[in-house]
Amino acid sequence: MSFQEKRTLMSMLSGVAVFMGYGYYLFQAYPEKVWADPTDFAFWGKSLLIMIPVSIVGRIIIHIVFTILHAISTGKYDDQDYKTDERDKLIELKASRVSQIVFMIGFLVSMAALAMGYSPFVMFIVLVIGGLAAEILEGISKMMYYRRGF
Amino acid sequence: MGKTNSIENNIRRLRFDHNEMTQQQLADAVGVTRQTIMAIEKSRYSPTLELAFKIAHTFNVPLNEVFTYSPDID
């Protein structure tokens, strides 16, 4: 497996891990807000806004640790494979398109849930799951493009 | 099963003819990763025009000696 594939896999797994960790913290720290008052929009808005920097910082830390560990384990400290080139950028672009389509589908489903009379809690959960699915499918499509070519 | 395209190349032979140049050496010469050179050699990736010219320039041959187009493959 090339460094790019390992990096993609690590990025996908770290994204899921940070998301699950934050979700777990939210459900443990504020169970009364999550379960008892699903119409507390301020809470959901704050939670989603805080998730963005938490996710970015968490992923940066995991990425740095992964790159250091990879360099130590392979003994390649000045490896040319660490850089990105035109193929990496194209794969990034194609995977990003997949991610956007999946997130858009999640958004439409969440709006449909609201339109069908489900509570805003369901809408937020569908929205968040859509975001997570978009991230996972972005990673999978990147791996596929690296392996299969295009 | 890898996806291939209608653009074939002679990079492997050209590398061999140039003192058995490695994929890494060619990658360094044209400014991409070794994985990209590998993908081009296996016809899993069609390079940009700029990269194609850089590869041809590295081997000091015309572009059509490096890449050939075969429409019947698709």
Side-chain angles (χ1 to χ4, degrees), chain A residues 1-4 76 79-88 90 145-150, chain B residues 1-5 24 27-28 31-36 39 44-48 50-51:
Chain A
M1 192 183 276
S2 70
F3 175 71
Q4 283 88 345
K76 295 177 179 174
D79 196 339
Q80 289 297 309
D81 287 351
Y82 291 128
K83 70 181 178 187
T84 54
D85 61 15
E86 59 172 49
R87 180 166 164 265
D88 296 314
L90 198 55
Y145 286 131
Y146 272 121
R147 290 256 153 164
R148 192 200 67 170
F150 53 91
Chain B
M1 190 77 174
K3 186 185 176 187
T4 56
N5 57 41
Q24 187 63 62
D28 292 342
V32 296
T33 61
R34 191 179 64 81
Q35 277 70 31
T36 297
R44 287 183 182 171
Y45 170 63
S46 298
T48 59
E50 187 183 358
L51 178 55

Side-chain angles (χ1 to χ4, degrees), chain A:
Chain A
M1 192 183 276
S2 70
F3 175 71
Q4 283 88 345
E5 288 171 349
K6 286 180 197 165
R7 186 176 57 194
T8 301
L9 195 61
M10 184 49 63
S11 172
M12 187 170 64
L13 292 178
S14 63
V16 174
V18 169
F19 174 82
M20 301 289 258
Y22 184 71
Y24 180 76
Y25 160 77
L26 218 57
F27 277 72
Q28 291 296 315
Y30 308 101
E32 74 286 352
K33 295 218 175 204
V34 174
W35 296 115
D37 190 8
T39 55
D40 186 355
F41 295 124
F43 168 74
W44 284 103
K46 279 180 201 165
S47 302
L48 290 178
L49 281 177
I50 292 170
M51 193 173 80
I52 295 169
V54 166
S55 172
I56 291 170
V57 171
R59 292 177 68 168
I60 288 172
I61 292 169
I62 291 173
H63 179 77
I64 290 170
V65 171
F66 165 71
T67 307
I68 291 170
L69 289 178
H70 184 270
I72 291 169
S73 65
T74 57
K76 295 177 179 174
Y77 298 99
D78 189 25
D79 196 339
Q80 289 297 309
D81 287 351
Y82 291 128
K83 70 181 178 187
T84 54
D85 61 15
E86 59 172 49
R87 180 166 164 265
D88 296 314
K89 286 173 190 159
L90 198 55
I91 287 175
E92 188 83 35
L93 209 61
K94 282 172 175 278
S96 158
R97 188 178 61 183
V98 171
S99 167
Q100 283 171 13
I101 290 169
V102 174
F103 185 75
M104 190 51 70
I105 290 170
F107 178 77
L108 290 175
V109 172
S110 71
M111 290 300 115
L114 268 189
M116 287 190 291
Y118 287 97
S119 73
F121 175 73
V122 173
M123 185 213 54
F124 279 115
I125 290 294
V126 171
L127 209 55
V128 170
I129 288 173
L132 184 64
E135 180 146 356
I136 292 171
L137 285 170
E138 182 179 3
I140 290 172
S141 53
K142 264 189 204 172
M143 293 288 286
M144 192 191 75
Y145 286 131
Y146 272 121
R147 290 256 153 164
R148 192 200 67 170
F150 53 91

